[in-house]
Amino acid sequence: MNAIKKGKLICVGTGMRMAGQVTPLALSYIETADVVVSAVPNIFTRDWIKGIAKDFICVLDHYDDCNMDGKNRGDTYRRMADTILEQVRAGKTVCAAFYGHPGIFACIAHIAIKDARSEGYGAEMLPGISAEDCLVADLGIDPGRTGMQSMEATQFMIYERRIDPSALLILWQPFLAGELSLKRFETTQARVQVLVDKLARDYPLDHEVILYEAATHPLERTRIDRLPLRELPTATMVGATTLVIPAAQALKRDQAIVDLLNALPEAPLMPLAQAA
Ligand SMILES: C[S@@+](CC[C@H](N)C(=O)[O-])C[C@H]1O[C@@H](n2cnc3c(N)ncnc32)[C@H](O)[C@@H]1O
């Protein structure tokens, strides 16, 4: 049996709100790891982590690679994972800290964990509070009421997706909608218009959508802007904006399935005595 090598990786999430949404377990890894490698863009959260970590490496400068010819965000994410792995290979206990949940719409932690495990190092991910968790709380939406679809805005645009307008739809990274070069960090009105036109296949143009930005510290205001779908191309969208599209249709009952279920015998799957 292969022995686990000395270095170790724990990927944690800091939540969305500085210091207030980190789990006790994630906090203890941030405080006790030999080094914290972080890609947290919020300066307050970054300074807070820096202040409590034994050693701190910020990998945000790797985004500058996108300015080089032939390089894009994919290369940046690869290099961030490589920087994390260098520390693991040096035999350290490495805590990689990401905002929100480290594994939700965030590929770096997934890449680093896969690489670390394939090289024989222990690696795990701890869950964190994501933007989606915050929007459920701030908007008072229970995803269980209609069901929920959640995907990246550009992925929705460039692939054939079957959207169910009777369920909630969450589109991530609308500020990059249709940005295919993977080099720039903004979109254009024309691209957002393409997004609106595609959404209009399933939603009326006057359907109310929500631009949501969770507050990241106590003095910041949570953004909850409601607007008709048609006005999206002229709306302000930044890196922290998530587009929330409530259901536009009532749930339609599938009567054939209901009838089938009602016709089934009442007998349980197995006798209760055996199930216990
Ligand atoms: C790369 S993903 C990171 C998601 C993060 N890992 C999480 O768990 O929420 C970036 C996208 O997350 C969403 N996001 C980031 N910060 C947010 C905030 N403060 N409020 C709402 N959504 C946010 C936006 O859709 C943004 O474009």
Side-chain angles (χ1 to χ4, degrees):
M1 201 175 78
N2 288 341
I4 297 269
K5 293 187 192 165
K6 187 164 175 282
K8 179 173 154 191
L9 172 63
I10 304 98
C11 294
V12 304
T14 62
M16 305 305 293
R17 190 177 271 237
M18 187 198 117
Q21 290 179 345
V22 65
T23 66
L25 192 54
L27 181 60
S28 84
Y29 276 116
I30 292 172
E31 288 173 330
T32 61
D34 296 320
V35 61
V36 176
V37 183
S38 174
V40 171
N42 183 290
I43 186 165
F44 301 112
T45 307
R46 206 160 59 237
D47 283 350
W48 166 67
I49 296 174
K50 221 178 197 168
I52 59 173
K54 285 188 190 165
D55 191 9
F56 181 84
I57 297 174
C58 178
V59 288
L60 283 178
D61 61 345
H62 294 9
Y63 278 111
D64 294 344
D65 291 4
C66 293
N67 298 327
M68 294 180 202
D69 275 350
K71 297 223 169 190
N72 63 28
R73 284 199 289 279
D75 299 292
T76 293
Y77 300 147
R78 177 68 263 166
R79 185 148 89 91
M80 287 179 173
D82 288 345
T83 301
I84 294 169
L85 258 288
E86 276 165 26
Q87 298 298 313
V88 177
R89 289 186 197 113
K92 298 180 191 172
T93 294
V94 181
C95 175
F98 303 86
Y99 75 90
H101 186 302
I104 293 190
F105 290 87
C107 62
I108 305 155
H110 289 292
I111 299 171
I113 287 175
K114 190 162 171 262
D115 287 356
R117 285 181 181 161
S118 75
E119 292 181 27
Y121 298 102
E124 66 173 312
M125 179 184 288
L126 303 182
I129 295 182
S130 71
E132 194 169 283
D133 296 313
C134 293
L135 80 81
V136 164
D138 288 335
L139 302 181
I141 292 176
D142 181 351
R145 207 173 65 77
T146 61
M148 182 172 74
Q149 307 151 98
S150 181
M151 66 190 79
E152 207 262 335
T154 301
Q155 187 189 77
F156 163 72
M157 292 169 78
I158 67 174
Y159 291 97
E160 291 183 13
R161 308 302 309 253
R162 291 235 295 267
I163 293 300
D164 175 359
S166 67
L168 173 68
L169 173 61
I170 295 177
L171 293 181
W172 299 68
Q173 303 202 141
F175 83 113
L176 292 178
E179 202 295 292
L180 300 184
S181 74
L182 301 183
K183 286 176 87 65
R184 287 180 291 270
F185 291 88
E186 60 193 357
T187 185
T188 62
Q189 280 194 18
R191 292 190 187 120
V192 180
Q193 187 60 55
V194 174
L195 169 64
V196 169
D197 292 344
K198 183 156 182 185
L199 284 167
R201 295 178 189 172
D202 293 296
Y203 299 90
L205 283 170
D206 61 358
H207 184 57
E208 185 182 87
V209 302
I210 304 165
L211 293 174
Y212 170 74
E213 288 161 27
T216 57
H217 59 82
L219 299 179
E220 201 174 58
R221 193 184 65 91
T222 293
R223 179 184 184 194
I224 303 175
D225 284 348
R226 299 171 191 274
L227 63 161
L229 176 59
R230 68 160 56 81
E231 288 180 15
L232 210 52
T234 53
T236 301
M237 291 192 278
V238 295
T241 311
T242 296
L243 175 58
V244 181
I245 306 180
Q249 293 175 8
L251 289 168
K252 279 192 207 128
R253 202 172 167 88
D254 187 337
Q255 195 55 47
I257 293 289
V258 175
D259 292 344
L260 198 64
L261 291 171
N262 282 331
L264 293 177
E266 280 300 323
L269 199 55
M270 62 175 90
L272 286 177
Q274 279 178 33

